[in-house]
Each structure stands twice: as structure tokens, then as C-alpha cells.
Amino acid sequence: MKAVLRLNLVVAFVFVFALLITLYDMLQQATKDITREVSAGVSFTHQLLSAAVTDEALLKNLLEGETRHVHLSIVESTKLPKSEPLIHDSDEVPEWFFKMIPGLDLVEEKQYFRYLSDGRALHLQADTSDEVEEVWESVQNVLVLFALSALLSNLAIYIGVRQGVKPVTDFLNALKDIEKGRFTARLDHYSIREINDLSEHFNAMAHALELAECDNTRLTHELMRLQEKERAHLARELHDDLGQYLTGIRAQAYLIKASANNPEVVAAVGEQIAVNCDAMHISFRQLIRKLHPVILEQLGLLEAIRTLVENWSQSHHIKVNLHLPEQLGLLSDESNTHIYRIIQEALNNIARHAQADRVDITLEIEADTLRLSVKDNGVGTECSNSSGLGLRSMQERARCMQGTLKFKQLAEGGSMVSMEIPVVEEEEV
């Protein structure tokens, strides 16, 4: 059931309850008023009858005139009516309404007799019809008033609530659009400040989700392109390097077989095969190192970082100041890989774009937080573009460790990548 309908039903129930109380109070008050008015009318008419019994003209006026609150008639003295309520014959008031007024039958049972000189009797009985008609008119007015008030109240509530619920309906519809992946959903401007604040926050959230979706789509395409590039690179490495060595070794093996009777040729070719095997082994290890830092498993994170930095510094002729703690504790293999790759990616970005001649790398632990900073004195790296794949990959690695990674340009020149992650040591089994 909708909120508007529920509220209308509650208001209608309240009006009905108030109406019943009002009618009950009116009927109780009507009993008192009718008893008082009719008793006064009967008493006054009874006094007039005392004089009318001996005055035929006055008696005739009383019988032919209209009297309120009493019923006059002449009956045979030998056939006096029993004391019982009147039978109402009213065109305006239904009989059931007479029965609803408590104590009305007790008032109408009151009757008096005055005997005339001709042997007949003058019958006087209380009549409440006029008073009940007035009460019935009042009840009708109250019913109309309550009906109009309930109708207008429910109409005002319906209009007001519909206007108030509209933002909620719009919000739910917009959330459904967001749930279905339609991040272009937006809310309108509303006159109520609190609702308008909610609308602005929702629109900001939807805009952020839309940007994130576009960014994720672009990054997905970039990752697919990079994946294909890496596959092509591996194919070239295997074909151009390892494949050529294997082809040469195979040819040299056939040459040894054909020169079995020539020891000098066999020795020379065997030596060449050994050289080719050593070269192929070096190429193979280099390829494995690119795919996975095996040194992490062999030496641990700190030694792996030292080796990485030393090789990078020698390759690019850039001085690196490395500050590492004595120990890091027992981190998970996944965390070690992420930290290693973040440093590797930061150094690669510096080599490609920074034009720096000095790099400072600091890795430290304070309390339960691990902090990493990679700072250079160059002109900036591609990380300055927040949509760059390098920065995003580092940010995603930091997020996987429940940390944060930030990039900023330094006022004195150069740039810095900083990361903070909570230290969660892996339990030894």
C-alpha cells in the first residue's frame, strides 16, 4: 500500500473516530435538552388546561392550534389510552433516529387527563418530535461539515504528500538506473534545501561512477592492447632469440654426427654448442625475470629491491639513494610482489620521462603502517596524468593492500610517488 493511501486512511479513521465522539456527545446533550424543553412545555400546557376545561373558546383554540412539545386529543373517558410512547410519523426524521436518542421513550410516556363536563376526557401527552427534528438538523450539519473537512484534508494531504514523495520516487528510479548500469541518471533541482543537498550528492556520485566506468572501459581496452603487445613481445623473444639458438644447436648436432671421424671438428662444434647453451640460458633467465621476480622468493623483498635498484641505476646511469629498514616482518607473497612492482614501475616511469639524475627511495615502517616514497629531481613523469596506465596500476596494487598511493609534483622540481598501507603480517604455518 502506498504511503499516500495509508496516510489518507489514517486521517479518515481519525475523522470517523472524532465524528462518533461528537455524535455521542450530541445525543447525550440532546436527551438533556429535550427532557428539559418538553417537560417545561408539558407543565405550561397542563396549567392552561386547568383554565380551558371551563372555557370552551380557550379549549377550542388549544385543540385547533399548533402546540409544541405536547400532543392534545379528546377521548372517551371509558376508553383511556395506556401509557406508552407516541408513534412518530415524521417526514423529516427517520424512525431509527428517534430510537438512537436515549431516554426518549421515558419522556413520551408521560401523559395527563382532564375530564370534561360531557363525560369525555382531555388527553395530554409529551411530544418530542419538534425537538428531535432540531437535533436531526444539527446532526446532518455536523455530518456534512465532517465529510467536507475529511475530503478537503485528504485532498490537501494527497497533494502535499505526492509533492513530498516525488523526490523519493525520483531517487528510487535513479537508483534503479544506477543498479542497471545507466550511470547517466541525474536528479532534478528541488526547492527543499535538504532534499536538494541529497540530489546534489547523488548527482556527484553518479558523475563519479560514470567517469569511473569510462575510465575502466578505457583501461580495459588498454590492458587488452598491452596484453597483446606482451604476447607479441614474448613471441618475438622466443622466435628470434631462443628459437635461433635451438636451430643452431640442432644444425651443430647434425654436423657432429656427420663429422664423427674428425675429432677436431667435433671438439670445435661441441664448444660452440656449449656457448650457445649458455647464451640461451641467460636469455631464458632474463625472460623469466621479466615475467616474475623470482629473486623475491630466493632473497626476500629487501634484497630484491636492492638488486632491482642496483641494476636499474647501472643501466640508466642515474644515482639512487636507497633507504630501507633492517627488516619488514613476514609480509604475504602478494604484498611483497605488489611493493616490488610499484617500485619497479616508478623507476621505469622516471627512466622514460623524468630526465632526472637522482632518485631517493625510502621504505619505512611506523607502528602498523608501511610508507614508501620514490622521489626524483627531474621534470615530471607520465604519472602526472591521472588516467595513465602506470599510475593506475600502482594505485590498484596499493588498493589491493588496503592502502593509498598518491602522486604529486614537487615545488622544487621533480615528482614523488608516495604510498601508505597497513602492515598485515602473514602468519607462519
Side-chain angles (χ1 to χ4, degrees):
M1 185 182 295
K2 293 184 178 180
V4 179
L5 181 58
R6 288 199 301 267
L7 188 57
N8 284 338
L9 288 178
V10 170
V11 172
F13 175 79
V14 171
F15 269 96
V16 170
F17 183 74
L19 176 62
L20 293 177
I21 293 178
T22 303
L23 291 178
Y24 176 79
D25 184 69
M26 287 183 65
L27 293 178
Q28 294 296 323
Q29 186 63 37
T31 301
K32 297 178 182 179
D33 294 340
I34 291 174
T35 302
R36 183 173 59 253
E37 292 293 332
V38 172
S39 298
V42 169
S43 177
F44 178 73
T45 306
H46 188 263
Q47 294 177 3
L48 287 178
L49 290 178
S50 299
V53 170
T54 57
D55 189 343
E56 292 185 2
L58 179 59
L59 178 60
K60 183 178 180 181
N61 290 333
L62 286 175
L63 293 175
E64 293 179 355
E66 293 184 1
T67 56
R68 285 173 54 85
H69 307 145
V70 294
H71 177 73
L72 294 174
S73 62
I74 297 177
V75 297
E76 297 293 335
S77 59
T78 57
K79 299 179 180 180
L80 298 179
K82 297 179 179 180
S83 178
E84 58 184 12
L86 288 173
I87 299 176
H88 304 100
D89 186 17
S90 175
D91 295 333
E92 298 182 2
V93 184
E95 184 64 26
W96 58 265
F97 186 74
F98 283 93
K99 297 179 180 179
M100 287 184 61
I101 302 177
L104 195 62
D105 52 346
L106 297 178
V107 176
E108 293 181 341
E109 285 180 355
K110 294 180 180 181
Q111 54 183 341
Y112 302 92
F113 297 94
R114 285 287 182 174
Y115 294 96
L116 301 176
S117 57
D118 57 0
R120 293 181 300 171
L122 186 61
H123 179 224
L124 170 65
Q125 186 173 7
D127 187 357
T128 60
S129 298
D130 291 339
E131 291 295 328
V132 173
E133 286 181 2
E134 293 181 1
V135 175
W136 172 247
E137 291 177 359
S138 299
V139 169
Q140 286 180 314
N141 292 333
V142 170
L143 289 174
V144 172
L145 179 62
F146 267 83
L148 290 176
S149 299
L151 180 62
L152 293 176
S153 298
N154 280 310
L155 182 61
I157 290 173
Y158 177 81
I159 296 174
V161 172
R162 282 297 296 270
Q163 292 297 322
V165 171
K166 184 180 181 301
V168 178
T169 304
D170 294 343
F171 186 73
L172 290 177
N173 292 333
L175 283 179
K176 290 178 181 178
D177 290 339
I178 294 293
E179 183 180 2
K180 294 176 181 178
R182 296 194 287 268
F183 300 123
T184 56
R186 297 292 186 273
L187 293 176
D188 296 330
H189 179 82
Y190 299 98
S191 57
I192 303 176
R193 184 174 63 84
E194 292 78 7
I195 296 179
N196 193 60
D197 291 343
L198 179 63
S199 171
E200 291 179 355
H201 282 84
F202 177 86
N203 291 338
M205 178 198 70
H207 180 66
L209 289 174
E210 185 180 9
L211 292 180
E213 184 189 33
C214 295
D215 200 20
N216 288 336
T217 302
R218 184 188 59 77
L219 288 175
T220 299
H221 293 161
E222 184 69 18
L223 288 174
M224 293 175 64
R225 186 190 64 78
L226 184 61
Q227 184 184 46
E228 293 301 323
K229 181 179 178 181
E230 288 293 327
R231 287 177 177 177
H233 174 71
L234 289 175
R236 286 193 302 270
E237 289 285 335
L238 293 174
H239 179 269
D240 298 340
D241 196 357
L242 299 180
Q244 289 184 4
Y245 283 124
L246 289 174
T247 300
I249 291 172
R250 182 179 181 185
Q252 291 164 350
Y254 279 112
L255 181 58
I256 290 176
K257 184 178 179 181
S259 304
N261 297 326
N262 190 343
E264 294 180 358
V265 174
V266 171
V269 174
E271 184 179 355
Q272 187 63 40
I273 290 176
V275 172
N276 289 340
C277 287
D278 290 338
M280 185 173 65
H281 182 66
I282 294 174
S283 296
F284 182 74
R285 291 187 62 183
Q286 290 177 349
L287 182 61
I288 291 298
R289 191 179 297 113
K290 291 179 181 178
L291 295 176
H292 178 70
V294 181
I295 193 173
L296 277 175
E297 301 174 358
Q298 298 173 345
L299 302 180
L301 178 60
L302 295 180
E303 288 301 323
I305 293 175
R306 289 190 182 98
T307 303
L308 170 66
V309 169
E310 182 179 353
N311 293 335
W312 183 86
S313 178
Q314 292 177 357
S315 299
H316 299 89
H317 307 288
I318 298 176
K319 182 180 178 181
V320 179
N321 297 320
L322 182 62
H323 307 279
L324 298 177
E326 295 182 0
Q327 60 181 7
L328 285 177
L330 190 61
L331 301 178
S332 65
D333 292 340
E334 182 181 3
S335 296
N336 288 335
T337 302
H338 285 320
I339 295 172
Y340 181 88
R341 291 300 192 192
I342 288 173
I343 296 175
Q344 186 181 49
E345 180 64 29
L347 290 175
N348 289 339
N349 287 334
I350 292 173
R352 287 195 296 265
H353 307 285
Q355 301 178 20
D357 57 17
R358 190 186 75 251
V359 177
D360 294 310
I361 300 177
T362 302
L363 183 66
E364 59 184 0
I365 291 183
E366 294 182 4
D368 295 330
T369 302
L370 183 146
R371 293 184 174 86
L372 169 68
S373 67
V374 181
K375 182 170 62 174
D376 66 81
N377 65 344
V379 296
T381 72
E382 68 172 2
C383 296
S384 60
N385 185 354
S386 62
S387 62
L389 185 61
L391 178 61
R392 282 301 300 268
S393 65
M394 290 190 286
Q395 287 175 334
E396 287 301 314
R397 289 184 183 276
R399 187 182 63 82
C400 289
M401 296 183 287
Q402 287 146 17
T404 57
L405 185 141
K406 298 178 181 178
F407 169 84
K408 65 178 180 180
Q409 296 283 359
L410 301 177
E412 62 273 18
S415 59
M416 181 175 69
V417 173
S418 60
M419 178 184 70
E420 290 188 3
I421 61 171
V423 176
V424 180
E425 295 187 358
E426 187 182 50
E427 297 182 359
E428 297 188 27
V429 181

